[in-house]
Amino acid sequence: MATQFPDDFKCPISLEIMSDPVILSSGHTFDRSSIQRWLDAGHRTCPITKLPLSEPPSLIPNHALRSLISSYTLVPLPEAHTNPDPNSLIQTIVSVSSHLVCKLDSLDQLGRLCKRDSSIRRRLTESGAVSAVLNCVNADDTSLQAKALHLLLNLSLDDDNKVGLVAEGVVGKLVAAVRSGYGDSRAVAATVLTSLAVVEVNKATIGAYPKAISGLIGLLRAGNGRERKEAATALFTLCSFADNRVRAVENRAVPILIQNASSGLERAVEVLGLLAKCAEGRKEMLGYDGFLEILIFVLKNGSSRGVQYGLLTINLLCSCSERMCLEVLREGIFEICLGLLEDDNEKVRRNAKNLIQVLQGKNRRNLS
């Protein structure tokens, strides 16, 4: 239907008939939704002239053009396509002649399609579209990189796609984004790694990838609140695989996790619980002054999940250290465990019971 309209009725960005035309200070008219996306991406130039816009940019309704478009058909303005063709959207992303805002719009539309339709996720993964998206992950433009990462996250929702994405080489791009991405790209890249690592075979592949675990640990050390939480979540998922626990410890994860735990990031306590399952992790933790006080605070004030992993960590440390057992008994954790035997969370009750048995066994041996 749009091809029956004069070209002046089409937005220069979306190439769709404008439903809410507005004029920029440059004198050019765009559909409001398209130019707003351009401005929201941080651009302050006209997409056509490349000249600077007024600050703040003004969007003046073009009532005359809107009236012309309405009169031309004598029917309500056409709505945007509800089911855009994925192939044409991919072509827009791939084409070197495509304008940046068109690529952003195409990534947006593909992301929405993938989020609600598993068949489209499979279709895109099998069609070779992933390589085009990965090229966008390398882009210097922060918005393009972020939208490409969000699309990869949506593509990774299906377990069938997770192995295929890793085979396409997505891990290297994600690791690079975790280490040096822009804006919220580092957090989103860590989230995609978490999604991919749900599949067991991917845990080994990602963990063995150069700088994957060290990159997440670096983000945990220097990132903002959201980045640290996503990095800890990715490490938790990866460290359910035994080899990755040793890799994390070798990359100095323990002191950084303890520091984050002391700052209130409970997910760090969960990762520590997994690292305590390996001898290397327990050795690091036992040599860290003040660690037990942090775990006691979690037992008294944390969520059920935090308490669960705090108990697990103490249990594992007590199982291999007489000194830790004595400290735990001296600090009153035995009494805390007795109170937790009535907790609503079954895992908390079980971990509390296990720790009580360990402490009772150590205490009997000491008495004898």
Side-chain angles (χ1 to χ4, degrees), residues 110-182:
L110 283 171
R112 288 194 294 271
L113 288 172
C114 290
K115 193 170 185 178
R116 65 174 183 259
D117 193 331
S118 60
S119 65
I120 290 180
R121 291 197 290 268
R122 289 192 297 272
R123 177 179 164 189
L124 289 178
T125 306
E126 295 166 358
S127 69
V130 174
S131 60
V133 179
L134 291 181
N135 287 335
C136 294
V137 174
N138 280 344
D140 292 332
D141 184 87
T142 59
S143 300
L144 194 62
Q145 185 184 68
K147 289 187 183 298
L149 287 167
H150 278 290
L151 178 53
L152 286 175
L153 180 59
N154 287 330
L155 288 173
S156 73
L157 293 175
D158 296 326
D159 285 354
D160 290 342
N161 280 349
K162 297 181 194 296
V163 176
L165 286 169
V166 170
E168 287 272 3
V170 70
V171 175
K173 305 291 186 180
L174 294 173
V175 171
V178 164
R179 291 169 57 83
S180 56
Y182 307 102

Side-chain angles (χ1 to χ4, degrees), residues 131-284:
S131 60
V133 179
L134 291 181
N135 287 335
C136 294
V137 174
N138 280 344
D140 292 332
D141 184 87
T142 59
S143 300
L144 194 62
Q145 185 184 68
K147 289 187 183 298
L149 287 167
H150 278 290
L151 178 53
L152 286 175
L153 180 59
N154 287 330
L155 288 173
S156 73
L157 293 175
D158 296 326
D159 285 354
D160 290 342
N161 280 349
K162 297 181 194 296
V163 176
L165 286 169
V166 170
E168 287 272 3
V170 70
V171 175
K173 305 291 186 180
L174 294 173
V175 171
V178 164
R179 291 169 57 83
S180 56
Y182 307 102
D184 67 346
S185 292
R186 296 192 297 177
V188 179
T191 306
V192 182
L193 286 173
T194 300
S195 178
L196 295 175
V198 170
V199 176
E200 201 66 25
V201 67
N202 284 350
K203 288 179 171 62
T205 304
I206 296 170
Y209 194 91
K211 299 183 179 179
I213 287 180
S214 64
L216 290 169
I217 294 170
L219 190 59
L220 188 62
R221 179 184 64 249
N224 59 33
R226 181 190 172 195
E227 289 169 345
R228 290 187 293 110
K229 183 176 180 180
E230 296 299 339
T233 302
L235 284 170
F236 177 82
T237 308
L238 288 168
C239 288
S240 63
F241 180 68
D243 289 354
N244 290 337
R245 297 169 197 157
V246 177
R247 293 187 179 107
V249 173
E250 290 174 346
N251 281 280
R252 302 292 296 154
V254 169
I256 295 169
L257 286 164
I258 292 176
Q259 181 181 355
N260 276 270
S262 68
S263 300
L265 183 61
E266 274 197 4
R267 186 53 55 86
V269 178
E270 298 172 24
V271 183
L272 287 163
L274 295 182
L275 298 189
K277 292 183 177 183
C278 69
E280 296 85 351
R282 293 192 294 272
K283 181 179 178 181
E284 286 265 345

Side-chain angles (χ1 to χ4, degrees), residues 13 24 30 32-48 50-51 53 57 99-102 104 141 143:
I13 294 174
L24 278 186
F30 303 85
R32 184 183 294 274
S33 61
S34 296
I35 194 61
Q36 192 61 58
R37 279 194 295 270
W38 169 267
L39 297 174
D40 289 345
H43 302 289
R44 289 298 179 267
T45 58
C46 172
I48 294 178
K50 308 301 182 186
L51 294 175
L53 299 174
H99 198 283
L100 173 61
V101 74
C102 295
L104 290 170
D141 184 87
S143 300

Side-chain angles (χ1 to χ4, degrees), residues 340-355:
L340 292 172
L341 291 176
E342 302 299 323
D343 194 88
D344 293 337
N345 187 312
E346 188 273 333
K347 292 182 178 178
V348 169
R349 296 197 303 271
R350 185 172 68 239
N351 284 357
K353 181 179 179 180
N354 289 341
L355 182 51

